[in-house]
């Protein structure tokens, strides 16, 4: 039995009986039986049954994707769960019943341009750092906020796409998506997942910490959803999207068309989902399935998200995963200066695809109001987790309302990006710092600001980074704070911000 990829762990939720549910994805050669998976329950090894999620092909190679499910009863203390795939043993940690999970957060796990690789000596250096941190204080969840793979190289690598790109705009929009090209694109996505996620540093973490993933544009291709309507609706674009969607569902959500992902929100066309873990709630918003130049998420998807949100009671912290930052400088001025910037393409892509685009501001405003109202009504603290922009940053939304606790008037946004993708050029970082002090008036009585990192005089981390979210341990403090730590390449100590509960 040859394992081509995996195990990849995914968190499926915890039920009212404190049963911690995890799935494991394993990809093997086609036609081979499912590898034996055993889990140690503290007394004996139990076999876990496999479900086939289907066969996939890449050129002459065939693969079968297998899924396994673990159900772990939480106890009063943290548990170490041992499991084996074939003859290889792995370990993941389960927090105590009702306890707050320790989390890592990442985004941008790749390169938008092959030329950027030349800037990076060790592309997976921060995955190694994360593994070391995991050994010191184990992570219970690995939150991955978008661009888990980068698919952009298909435009240069695939013969059929290069031929298509040589057509005129009108011809491209009308051209069919023939079976030969479909097979090329399908094989590309399969190989991309197998190659990127089987790298030892990445694979070690995905086998050791259950993931919570939500896709962004590069999981499809750069800027997906922000193109003109006719181009977006072309057979080739829609064909690529359908393939990317199937692979996202398969590899990141451990599901297929016949077995919907868990725990998906009902009555929506996309993949938004919500999770409860003790005093934490996690809402992962799908900002790509319905995205257009005028829409981020459709009405049904927002209704599903808000309906789930309204049900979350007795919640200390709500973590909202928004792949695109809700709080970030308005780039309208910078867009006119791009021609003067070296390496401008990587930044330009982000400028045309953000929440502050005029056509998306109403959706953003409604989201901000709903999150502030939820915090005021429930006493839960809201924190937005974001990536995409290839810098680390702290954004703060503040409302002037005197009838609620002070912390219910504040939403922090923690941006971490990227764990592999390098930072923007120095001139772009200089511009960000220059405009970062501006206070945005979101609505009457509501402002948004980029804050300086505590203990520093700058607002942006211009280096690769990942984020850890470490709650107060009960034996150390009863405060229930979150200690947010940005671990930065080349620096021994993290940047730290404390998130307090609403009081």
């Amino acid at each position: 039995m040859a394992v081509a990829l995996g195990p990849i762990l995914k968190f499926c939720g915890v039920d009212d009986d404190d049963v911690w549910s995890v799935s494991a994805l394993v990809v093997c050669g086609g036609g081979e039986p499912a590898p034996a998976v055993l889990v140690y329950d503290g007394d004996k090894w139990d076999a876990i049954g496999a479900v086939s999620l289907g066969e996939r092909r890449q050129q002459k190679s065939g693969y079968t994707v297998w899924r396994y499910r673990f159900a772990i009863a939480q106890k009063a203390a943290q548990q170490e769960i041992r499991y084996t795939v074939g003859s290889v043993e792995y370990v993941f940690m389960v927090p105590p019943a009702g306890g707050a999970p320790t989390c890592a957060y990442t985004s941008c796990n790749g390169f938008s341009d092959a030329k950027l690789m030349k800037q990076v000596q060790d592309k997976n250096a921060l995955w190694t750092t994360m593994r070391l941190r995991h050994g010191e204080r184990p992570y219970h969840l690995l939150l991955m906020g978008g661009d888990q793979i980068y698919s952009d190289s298909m435009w240069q690598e695939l013969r059929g796409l290069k031929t298509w790109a040589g057509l005129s705009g009108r011809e491209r929009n009308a051209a069919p998506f023939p079976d030969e090209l479909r097979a090329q694109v399908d094989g590309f996505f399969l190989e991309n997942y197998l190659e990127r996620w089987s790298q030892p540093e990445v694979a070690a973490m995905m086998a050791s910490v259950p993931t919570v993933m939500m896709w962004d544009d590069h999981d499809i291709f750069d800027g997906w959803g922000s193109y003109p309507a006719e181009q977006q609706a072309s057979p080739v674009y829609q064909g690529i999207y359908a393939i990317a969607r199937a692979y996202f569902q398969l590899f990141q959500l451990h599901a297929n068309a016949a077995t919907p992902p868990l725990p998906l929100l009902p009555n929506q066309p996309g993949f938004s989902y919500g999770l409860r873990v003790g005093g934490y709630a996690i809402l992962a918003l799908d900002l790509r399935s319905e995205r257009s130049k005028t829409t981020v998420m459709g009405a049904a998807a927002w209704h599903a998200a808000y309906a789930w949100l309204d049900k979350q009671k007795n919640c200390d912290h709500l973590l909202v995963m928004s792949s695109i930052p809700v709080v970030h400088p308005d780039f309208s001025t910078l867009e006119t200066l791009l021609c003067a910037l070296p390496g401008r393409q990587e930044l330009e892509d982000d400028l045309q695809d953000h929440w502050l685009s005029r056509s998306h501001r109403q959706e953003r405003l409604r989201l901000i109001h709903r999150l502030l109202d939820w915090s005021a009504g429930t006493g839960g603290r809201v924190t937005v987790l974001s990536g995409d922009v290839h810098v680390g940053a702290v954004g703060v939304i503040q409302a002037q309302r005197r009838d609620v606790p002070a912390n219910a008037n504040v939403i922090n946004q923690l941006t971490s990006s990227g764990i592999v993708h390098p930072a923007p050029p120095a001139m772009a970082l200089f511009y960000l710092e220059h405009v970062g002090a501006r206070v945005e008036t979101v609505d009457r009585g509501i402002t948004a600001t980029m804050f300086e990192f505590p203990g520093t005089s700058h607002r942006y981390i211009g280096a690769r980074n990942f984020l850890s979210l470490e709650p107060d341990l009960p034996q150390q403090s009863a405060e229930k704070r979150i200690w947010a730590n940005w671990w930065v390449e080349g620096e021994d100590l993290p940047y730290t911000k404390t998130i307090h509960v609403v009081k």
Side-chain angles (χ1 to χ4, degrees):
M1 182 273 299
V3 174
L5 178 68
I8 307 295
L9 298 183
K10 174 186 175 293
F11 181 55
C12 300
V14 55
D15 67 16
D16 293 337
D17 295 322
D18 295 326
V19 175
W20 185 269
S21 181
V22 173
S23 64
L25 197 79
V26 180
V27 182
C28 297
E32 296 186 3
V37 171
L38 305 175
V39 62
Y40 189 64
D41 66 1
D43 180 48
K44 64 183 184 303
W45 290 91
D46 291 328
I48 303 295
V51 173
S52 172
L53 294 182
E55 301 278 339
R56 313 301 300 187
R57 294 201 62 82
Q58 195 277 326
Q59 294 181 352
K60 297 181 180 179
S61 301
Y63 300 93
T64 304
V65 182
W66 300 98
R67 185 188 65 204
Y68 304 79
R69 288 244 170 95
F70 305 92
I72 310 297
Q74 291 180 282
K75 299 180 180 180
Q78 175 177 264
Q79 299 176 73
E80 178 183 273
I81 305 301
R82 298 161 57 195
Y83 73 103
T84 63
V85 178
S87 60
V88 182
E89 182 172 319
Y90 304 90
V91 172
F92 66 92
M93 307 299 292
V94 173
T102 299
C103 305
Y105 177 87
T106 75
S107 67
C108 301
N109 180 41
F111 300 92
S112 57
D113 190 328
K115 296 177 182 177
L116 292 171
M117 294 185 194
K118 298 179 181 179
Q119 302 176 16
V120 179
Q121 184 175 4
D122 181 356
K123 61 184 177 181
N124 289 328
L126 283 169
W127 283 107
T128 300
T129 301
M130 184 188 290
R131 182 69 170 171
L132 294 174
R133 296 299 309 165
H134 178 59
E136 295 178 6
R137 178 171 177 171
Y139 299 119
H140 303 115
L141 297 175
L142 174 54
L143 314 180
M144 303 184 73
D147 300 338
Q148 278 68 258
I149 62 167
Y150 276 69
S151 304
D152 310 295
S153 64
M154 67 180 166
W155 301 105
Q156 289 78 45
E157 294 180 14
L158 300 184
R159 181 183 66 257
L161 287 181
K162 289 193 290 186
T163 299
W164 175 85
L167 302 174
S168 69
R170 179 173 295 183
E171 289 173 328
R172 288 197 301 271
N173 290 341
F177 191 58
D179 290 343
E180 180 182 1
L181 181 53
R182 188 184 306 276
Q184 291 180 30
V185 173
D186 192 279
F188 172 88
F189 272 90
L190 175 58
E191 182 61 29
N192 203 10
Y193 274 101
L194 295 179
E195 188 278 331
R196 184 73 199 108
W197 287 11
S198 64
Q199 295 177 21
E201 302 88 348
V202 181
M205 288 307 301
M206 288 187 168
S208 303
V209 186
T211 60
V212 176
M213 300 192 206
M214 181 51 69
W215 65 347
D216 201 26
D217 58 335
H218 292 281
D219 298 286
I220 308 163
F221 60 78
D222 190 20
W224 171 261
S226 295
Y227 293 95
E230 186 177 0
Q231 187 175 353
Q232 193 80 26
S234 68
V236 170
Y237 267 33
Q238 288 298 313
I240 294 172
Y241 170 73
I243 292 170
R245 180 183 174 97
Y247 276 102
F248 164 70
Q249 189 170 230
L250 182 63
F251 282 100
Q252 300 193 35
L253 301 182
H254 296 191
N256 58 24
T259 58
L262 295 175
L264 209 63
L265 300 183
N267 303 317
Q268 54 152 342
F271 296 105
S272 295
Y273 59 95
L275 298 158
R276 278 301 298 263
V277 188
Y280 275 31
I282 302 171
L283 176 60
L285 296 174
D286 178 359
L287 306 184
R288 288 296 161 183
S289 285
E290 298 179 90
R291 194 178 186 92
S292 71
K293 291 179 73 70
T294 59
T295 300
V296 178
M297 291 201 327
W302 281 121
H303 178 77
Y306 294 143
W308 179 87
L309 185 62
D310 290 342
K311 295 178 182 178
Q312 306 313 307
K313 312 297 182 183
N314 302 316
C315 178
D316 297 318
H317 292 279
L318 168 67
L319 304 179
V320 179
M321 293 174 62
S322 171
S323 56
I324 303 294
V326 177
V327 183
H328 209 62
D330 186 345
F331 287 126
S332 57
T333 301
L334 182 55
E335 290 184 62
T336 65
L337 304 176
L338 281 173
C339 60
L341 289 177
R344 64 185 177 90
Q345 183 63 48
E346 289 73 36
L347 184 60
E348 184 177 8
D349 296 334
D350 294 330
L351 304 188
Q352 299 170 348
D353 193 39
H354 58 94
W355 271 113
L356 280 171
S357 293
R358 184 176 180 180
S359 58
H360 298 326
R361 289 190 181 222
Q362 185 182 47
E363 280 185 80
R364 172 184 183 250
L365 180 59
R366 189 178 297 276
L367 171 63
I368 289 171
H369 273 288
R370 289 298 295 260
L371 293 178
L372 287 168
D373 290 347
W374 179 86
S375 184
T378 65
R381 189 65 187 272
V382 178
T383 299
V384 176
L385 302 176
S386 191
D388 179 72
V389 289
H390 308 152
V391 295
V394 176
V396 179
I397 296 169
Q398 293 178 296
Q400 298 175 0
R401 299 184 296 186
R402 298 181 180 179
D403 57 342
V404 299
N407 284 345
N409 281 332
V410 177
I411 297 173
N412 289 284
Q413 177 185 271
L414 313 179
T415 301
S416 178
S417 174
I419 193 168
V420 169
H421 199 288
M427 189 179 296
L429 291 166
F430 174 82
Y431 179 88
L432 287 173
E433 289 289 353
H434 178 71
V435 300
R438 298 178 184 175
V439 178
E440 176 201 353
T441 299
V442 176
D443 200 359
R444 187 175 64 180
I446 303 176
T447 60
T449 314
M450 304 306 298
F451 273 27
E452 294 177 348
F453 281 92
T456 78
S457 59
H458 58 87
R459 295 174 173 80
Y460 300 95
I461 298 173
R464 301 191 302 171
N465 62 90
F466 73 89
L467 181 68
S468 65
L469 302 172
E470 303 177 10
D472 278 316
L473 297 174
Q475 62 268 32
Q476 295 176 341
S477 173
E479 291 291 324
K480 297 183 179 180
R481 296 164 296 193
I482 295 176
W483 297 82
N485 296 312
W486 285 260
W487 297 93
V488 182
E489 186 173 24
E491 300 192 29
D492 294 331
L493 298 176
Y495 293 77
T496 300
K497 178 174 176 54
T498 310
I499 310 294
H500 295 265
V501 296
V502 171
K503 294 183 179 179

